[in-house]
Amino acid sequence: MPTKVTNSSGQSSGTEAAAAGALAVSVKDLSKTYNTRRGPVEAVRRSSFDVRRGEFVALVGPSGCGKSTILKIAAGLIPFNEGTVMVGGEDARSGRRDVGIMFQAPVLLPWRTVLDNVLLPMEIFGLTSSEAKDRAHELLNTVGLRGFDDKYPWELSGGMQQRASLARVLVYEPGILLMDEPFSALDEFTREHLNVELAKIHETYGRSVLYVTHNIQEAVFLADRVVVMKPHPGEVLDVVDTNLPRPRSLDVLLEEETTRLVTGIRRKLYTHELKRGRHGD
Amino acid sequence: MATEVGVGMDPARPVTPDAGPSFRERMRERGIVSTILWPTVSLIAILLIWEWLSKTGRVDEIIVPAPTDIAEAFVDLVQETFFWEATWVTVQETVIGFGAGVLGAWILGTLIGVFRPFRLAFYPLVVVFQITPRVALAPVFLTWFGFGITSKIVMAATICFFPVLINVVLGLETVDRDARDLMRSFGASKWEEYRKLTLPSSLPAIFAGLKVAITLALIGAIVAEFVGATEGMGVLIKTFNFQLQVAEGFAVILALSIIGLILYGITEFLESKIVFWRGH
């Protein structure tokens, strides 16, 4: 399988207008500087990449590369300084039914049952109905939480909590999913298991996904394209097409091509580190 | 015994949600034997020594009556109508004062926690008042509101106002950032965010404040009664002591600790029902 390597700046020309409708997320020349007490910190510098409709894009890089910042900007949760960030053809903003966000922590409300946690977005969107309840129940079955409707989040393991969190983001059927290291706090086996299910959900429902992770293997396994970022300040180093077959199953992880891609991305990041005269961990 | 309720509660310090395990949680952790048996053993030992000191004349029986005399006085006292009238007055002052103080603290605390200008304007004042010994206001309240029940209610409300206020503000600060982001990503209004996230999130901290406040309210009511009142348990204690009926005085103090324990128990019970997820 040939691996096409495109430079991020190479894809933002020509067919722009035609592509606008076909783009789930479009980040162009994005710069973001945080004003902290110790002075300004440049989190993201002139970064560009796209997520096409129905595409799974992973944003990978070490901590401090601004990947979570980009995700929060796309979710409309924090402002940015320069560039444009379009989500579903509109400027990024919060409170959209076509965008769903998932964090590293499950963020379930401990005073609500699992089912009521899943129904939380429906309540806020004003979509409470018996059908919504039925769908939430169905989704809990789909994500492997059959019979846990009336349990409280603290009665669930970390992996199960993140499953409930996944059901909550899927319940209102957003076309675009923004995921910030959703499984990184889990043990490796649980994480791989959930990644397989996430791949399945992506393949079944065709949702566009922007997935932030610091795990290169995870990025390669899940994504159609991997956006590689370097830290301090965050900048896009490269965009890598994975071209791995779908549906993805665990044996994709064992394939030579996967290893080759992972090594390639790792080399890019380390070469960059070495060029800066600093040895990475 | 009377001081047991207020021990270890520094009013100048905000109470954190993890202020301590509840009675039931202690029971579960350490088992019934260590939770109940040991304190009972030490209490009986103290009472026996006390009894012996008093009955053998090593301390003056009139000034320090023996536990059995106090028990006797207590049994006589609970058969008197005037005792129950005094109890009713003090409980009313405590509970109404507690309610008023909590309501006020809740409202001001929420404004301080939610609106930045309010915080900048009022929070420094709160901290200053927090260090002021509020019982010192009792004579002032007497002048303002008279010898009746009102000055006691105001005192009780004032004394339990601050710990609740501090904990309401603290509770609002402890709301999970991601959860806030999540609510915002759904486009929740300020009111929805408050009702569905901020308020329930802050309840454990608020209840920690309430548990301190209920005992403080009782202290406030009694102090105000000492300063000037015509009825109430504080008046009873003062009267009995003036008449050198010290055993009867102690009996009223015993009744006060029982009332304190009951009020605290009710608050803790409500906490376990309302904030059932606490500690998870």
Side-chain angles (χ1 to χ4, degrees), chain A residues 72 77 95 101 107 111 123 125, chain B residues 179 181 184-187 196 201:
Chain A
K72 283 215 167 87
L77 294 172
I101 184 161
V107 205
W111 52 87
E123 283 175 26
F125 292 135
Chain B
D181 276 350
R184 282 176 52 203
S185 83
F186 296 147
K196 290 185 191 291
S201 291

Side-chain angles (χ1 to χ4, degrees), chain B:
Chain B
M1 259 183 106
T3 52
E4 199 177 279
V5 173
V7 150
M9 286 160 182
D10 174 7
R13 185 173 47 105
V15 192
T16 63
D18 308 311
S22 73
F23 183 71
R24 272 189 235 181
E25 282 161 356
R26 281 195 298 271
M27 287 269 274
R28 223 177 300 134
E29 263 171 44
R30 295 195 220 147
I32 292 175
V33 173
S34 13
T35 314
I36 292 182
L37 184 69
W38 292 117
T40 310
V41 167
S42 61
L43 180 67
I44 288 170
I46 290 167
L47 290 176
L48 283 175
I49 294 168
W50 182 352
E51 183 81 23
W52 175 73
L53 286 172
S54 183
K55 286 289 179 196
T56 54
R58 281 177 168 76
V59 294
D60 191 338
E61 207 179 344
I62 294 175
I63 294 172
V64 188
T68 45
D69 296 337
I70 295 169
E72 211 175 302
F74 184 78
V75 172
D76 290 343
L77 202 59
V78 294
Q79 292 166 29
E80 300 283 353
T81 329
F82 73 84
F83 167 77
W84 290 107
E85 281 166 1
T87 306
W88 174 234
V89 168
T90 302
V91 168
Q92 255 182 305
E93 290 162 358
T94 306
V95 173
I96 298 173
F98 172 76
V102 167
L103 189 69
W106 199 314
I107 293 168
L108 186 61
T110 306
L111 291 173
I112 287 174
V114 175
F115 300 108
R116 216 178 127 71
F118 252 88
R119 189 190 186 88
L120 295 173
F122 287 108
Y123 208 52
L125 299 183
V126 168
V127 175
V128 171
F129 278 119
Q130 175 74 7
I131 338 172
T132 313
R134 274 143 283 150
V135 287
L137 288 167
V140 180
F141 291 153
L142 188 69
T143 314
W144 287 355
F145 303 107
F147 281 83
I149 193 170
T150 315
S151 61
K152 284 83 205 170
I153 292 173
V154 173
M155 186 69 248
T158 309
I159 204 169
C160 68
F161 178 79
F162 292 97
V164 178
L165 179 83
I166 299 275
N167 277 275
V168 168
V169 176
L170 181 86
L172 294 173
E173 280 169 0
T174 51
V175 178
D176 184 56
R177 263 186 83 101
D178 281 346
R180 222 180 259 290
D181 276 350
L182 187 78
M183 294 301 277
R184 282 176 52 203
S185 83
F186 296 147
S189 66
K190 281 269 170 209
W191 169 241
E192 278 173 320
E193 188 179 317
Y194 178 76
R195 198 163 51 92
K196 290 185 191 291
L197 174 68
T198 315
L199 178 64
S201 291
S202 61
L203 279 179
I206 291 173
F207 263 101
L210 292 186
K211 287 197 288 186
V212 176
I214 189 66
T215 55
L216 285 177
L218 186 57
I219 293 172
I222 292 296
V223 169
E225 285 176 1
F226 283 166
V227 173
T230 48
E231 44 183 356
M233 295 173 92
V235 177
L236 276 190
I237 295 172
K238 262 174 82 172
T239 312
F240 281 134
N241 277 290
F242 278 141
Q243 297 168 349
L244 272 182
Q245 289 181 283
V246 183
E248 281 75 9
F250 268 110
V252 180
I253 294 171
L254 176 64
L256 268 176
S257 357
I258 294 169
I259 291 168
L261 278 173
I262 291 170
L263 292 176
Y264 187 84
I266 292 171
T267 315
E268 199 165 77
F269 174 76
L270 289 176
E271 179 190 38
S272 71
K273 288 293 153 205
I274 295 170
V275 198
F276 59 89
W277 66 90
R278 178 180 170 271
H280 291 289

Side-chain angles (χ1 to χ4, degrees), chain A residues 6-243:
Chain A
T6 23
N7 199 298
S8 58
S9 54
Q11 53 183 218
S12 59
S13 59
T15 52
E16 233 170 85
L23 290 180
V25 181
S26 162
V27 175
K28 206 160 292 164
D29 297 326
L30 174 68
S31 292
K32 165 75 185 175
T33 301
Y34 285 107
N35 287 312
T36 70
R37 267 177 212 170
R38 282 173 291 167
V41 173
E42 197 179 8
V44 181
R45 181 189 289 175
R46 297 185 62 81
S47 292
S48 304
F49 67 89
D50 295 325
V51 181
R52 297 181 201 115
R53 288 243 181 242
E55 191 183 30
F56 198 122
V57 170
L59 212 54
V60 74
S63 40
C65 73
K67 53 192 191 300
S68 292
T69 298
I70 294 179
L71 198 94
K72 283 215 167 87
I73 289 171
L77 294 172
I78 52 174
F80 53 97
N81 303 97
E82 278 168 56
T84 49
V85 178
M86 305 289 280
V87 176
E90 295 172 48
D91 282 317
R93 61 176 171 83
S94 62
R96 293 170 57 155
R97 276 192 54 195
D98 56 339
V99 179
I101 184 161
M102 222 178 137
F103 301 98
Q104 183 176 353
V107 205
L108 300 169
L109 306 180
W111 52 87
R112 282 174 170 255
T113 61
V114 171
L115 187 73
D116 284 342
N117 264 290
V118 174
L119 285 168
L120 177 70
M122 302 306 267
E123 283 175 26
I124 292 166
F125 292 135
L127 298 171
T128 40
S129 62
S130 58
E131 292 93 77
K133 209 166 178 173
D134 290 343
R135 189 159 74 240
H137 173 76
E138 287 293 311
L139 266 169
L140 282 171
N141 291 348
T142 310
V143 299
L145 287 176
R146 187 179 296 274
F148 284 91
D149 290 23
D150 298 325
K151 292 266 188 268
Y152 285 93
W154 28 272
E155 297 175 282
L156 270 57
S157 69
M160 288 158 98
Q161 289 185 19
Q162 211 45 294
R163 286 169 188 271
S165 181
L166 182 62
R168 180 182 57 198
V169 76
L170 295 175
V171 74
Y172 59 98
E173 301 180 321
I176 300 162
L177 294 177
L178 306 172
M179 309 178 100
D180 191 359
E181 308 195 40
F183 308 135
S184 66
L186 307 174
D187 68 85
E188 194 169 345
F189 299 102
T190 311
R191 193 181 66 226
E192 280 176 2
H193 205 76
L194 281 170
N195 276 336
V196 172
E197 288 182 41
L198 178 61
K200 205 190 293 169
I201 285 167
H202 166 72
E203 284 146 13
T204 315
Y205 302 103
R207 300 217 165 87
S208 320
V209 185
L210 178 58
Y211 187 99
V212 162
T213 177
H214 59 250
N215 186 319
I216 302 170
Q217 195 184 39
E218 183 177 74
V220 169
F221 172 75
L222 285 168
D224 300 309
R225 285 189 303 147
V226 179
V227 177
V228 186
M229 294 193 70
K230 69 147 191 82
H232 313 295
E235 258 182 310
V236 174
L237 271 185
D238 208 345
V239 179
V240 179
D241 285 70
T242 60
N243 288 327

